[in-house]
Amino acid sequence: MTALSKLALVALVDPSQTRRDEVGKALMSMYRLQTYADPSHALAAFKVTLPDVLLVDDGVTSGHGADFIKLLHQDEVLRGIPVVFVSHGPEERARGAAQRAGTDKVLVKPYRRSTLVACVSGILNEKVEERWEHLPELQKKALKGTVETFNRISDVIATGEPLPFGVVTDSCKPLVDAINNNDFKSIMDGVKYHDNYSYAHSMRVATLLSLFGRAAGIRGKLQEILAGGGLLHDAGKMSIPHEVLNKPGRLDEAEFAVMKSHVTHTVQFLDACEDIHPSVRIIASQHHEKIDGSGYPNGLKDGELNELARMAAIVDVFSALTDRRVYKPPMDPVEALNLMSGQMKNHLDQHRVGLFREMLLDAVV
Ligand SMILES: [Fe+2]
Ligand SMILES: [Fe+2]
């Protein structure tokens, strides 16, 4: 079994090529996806590998998608797959049809990308998100609000419809309040096992960047903006296929070019949003630049690097090293800090790396 196979597998049975492509685009950065026009091909594949979530369109076998679900339910093994019935509205009709087919999960056509992402991610993260329900109100709100904002990003990418920045900062406010009460550990723990890696990483960056900002004397609205910048800094990764995003080991030149393009995608996404704070754009556009000029996309160096972006680069590298990935366990924080002041000495602002280290010693992360 390869490391990548640990990523959740989503299957779609849908006769429409257009919809199969569309679902592929929406989910490509997060999951492995297998699509089938023909339900008999899907059944044969499920005998080999069970998907973690299955989407069945009502148009399968000339409008008999429900019959296909019933067929699955007759099989002792296949009946355990969580099935979403994808059906035309109105919602009540679609829900009724889904129930008759034997599932309570329904996606009403036409749907937004964010609804699709939230539906699949909600099923895969049911257990993780269920645990959030038992957290105190503030921490629960921080997690639920940010995951919702994060899912909405896919709509902006799909339609170019703007995401008001107020929505982002509002969802980050409980996170910042928890940070300022020094009670954010449960938020960090809450995202640890979330299977949307981009969300988990972005939340860790949002939390640490806002905490770092606080340690540097930043308060109030700007602290919320920093959290928002952390949440959005990699938004463009939603346009990068998971094979590149989650590849263990070194990327080849072509793959690295694709990976690097996430910065341009993020900036394009931010430019499509309303009233984005300029600091958020700077954080996103410069978080992979390095002090010695070897970073991307513009090879900026020394004084050309904005102060907030220097902080973001430190937080981003620290998070990437200490994140849990499908192909690697998290690196020990002290080991990560040593690497950042050793091997990566010329990449990161060392004065600020020192401040970051001190801050982490004070905080329980
Ligand atoms: Fe990035
Ligand atoms: Fe990042």
Side-chain angles (χ1 to χ4, degrees):
M1 187 191 273
T2 65
L4 267 185
S5 65
K6 288 180 201 153
L7 266 188
L9 175 65
V10 179
L12 166 70
V13 187
D14 189 329
S16 153
Q17 176 78 49
T18 317
R19 273 197 305 267
R20 294 200 303 273
D21 291 347
E22 179 51 39
V23 171
K25 268 191 223 149
L27 302 181
M28 72 173 171
S29 72
M30 292 174 258
Y31 310 113
R32 291 179 297 140
L33 181 72
Q34 281 173 353
T35 62
Y36 307 91
D38 184 335
S40 62
H41 293 167
L43 272 181
F46 298 165
K47 296 279 178 195
V48 183
T49 314
L50 281 182
D52 297 291
V53 177
L54 168 62
L55 303 161
V56 177
D57 191 89
D58 59 1
V60 165
T61 44
S62 319
H64 292 93
D67 292 343
F68 177 60
I69 300 176
K70 283 181 196 155
L71 191 72
L72 289 175
H73 284 163
Q74 285 166 17
D75 184 290
E76 239 172 76
V77 177
L78 302 184
R79 78 163 64 118
I81 306 170
V83 181
V84 181
F85 189 51
V86 188
S87 179
H88 279 291
E91 187 168 346
E92 218 168 292
R93 188 195 145 273
R95 210 161 273 292
Q99 260 160 18
R100 281 191 296 280
T103 179
D104 57 353
K105 298 172 179 66
V106 66
L107 194 59
V108 182
K109 291 188 284 191
Y111 50 80
R112 287 166 166 265
R113 266 198 198 181
S114 61
T115 313
L116 168 70
V117 172
C119 171
V120 173
S121 164
I123 293 169
L124 290 169
N125 290 293
E126 215 170 303
K127 288 205 180 70
V128 172
E129 292 185 9
E130 221 171 64
R131 271 183 246 137
W132 296 356
E133 295 297 330
H134 306 293
L135 292 173
E137 209 48 46
L138 189 64
Q139 284 71 10
K140 182 163 62 175
K141 232 172 130 186
L143 288 160
K144 287 180 128 180
T146 51
V147 84
E148 203 174 296
T149 299
F150 203 81
N151 289 340
R152 279 182 67 175
I153 294 173
S154 49
D155 283 339
V156 183
I157 290 172
T159 62
E161 211 176 282
L163 176 66
F165 189 52
V167 169
V168 181
T169 42
D170 281 355
S171 68
C172 287
K173 206 175 174 315
L175 170 65
V176 173
D177 288 345
I179 288 166
N180 294 344
N181 294 343
N182 209 6
D183 200 2
F184 59 93
K185 177 121 189 345
S186 55
I187 297 177
M188 295 287 256
D189 287 343
V191 297
K192 208 180 262 177
Y193 295 98
H194 202 280
D195 91 346
N196 183 345
Y197 167 68
S198 289
Y199 167 68
H201 167 70
S202 301
M203 262 305 267
R204 295 192 73 220
V205 170
T207 307
L208 290 172
L209 191 54
S210 174
L211 188 70
F212 198 11
R214 185 178 166 81
I218 294 170
R219 299 282 188 280
K221 202 78 201 149
L222 190 54
Q223 208 191 343
E224 285 169 26
I225 289 166
L226 278 184
L231 196 65
L232 299 179
H233 81 287
D234 272 339
K237 280 195 178 165
M238 291 212 186
S239 307
I240 310 289
H242 71 79
E243 295 89 340
V244 174
L245 271 188
N246 297 294
K247 184 179 174 184
R250 258 195 137 64
L251 300 174
D252 66 28
E253 212 176 302
E255 291 166 336
F256 192 43
V258 172
M259 179 60 116
K260 285 199 279 195
S261 74
H262 83 272
V263 175
T264 327
H265 286 304
T266 306
V267 172
Q268 276 167 357
F269 155 79
L270 293 176
D271 286 345
C273 293
E274 282 170 8
D275 57 29
I276 280 287
H277 194 276
S279 299
V280 172
R281 200 178 185 281
I282 287 172
I283 288 168
S285 62
Q286 295 188 11
H287 75 280
H288 287 289
E289 299 288 359
K290 293 172 181 167
I291 300 287
D292 64 1
S294 66
Y296 62 86
N298 295 315
L300 302 179
K301 63 193 285 192
D302 296 324
E304 293 168 328
L305 268 83
N306 175 279
E307 283 184 28
L308 293 180
R310 288 164 185 247
M311 291 167 68
I314 291 168
V315 168
D316 187 50
V317 167
F318 178 80
S319 299
L321 293 171
T322 56
D323 281 343
R324 179 186 306 278
R325 302 298 308 267
V326 284
Y327 55 81
K328 74 157 184 77
M331 186 184 276
D332 172 72
V334 174
E335 202 184 323
L337 288 167
N338 291 345
L339 198 71
M340 289 162 67
S341 51
Q343 232 168 298
M344 298 179 181
K345 195 169 74 208
N346 300 327
H347 296 172
L348 301 165
D349 177 333
Q350 288 303 310
H351 169 65
R352 287 187 171 80
V353 170
L355 296 175
F356 185 67
R357 185 190 286 266
E358 274 173 38
M359 178 201 83
L360 285 187
L361 289 178
D362 286 342
V364 189
V365 179

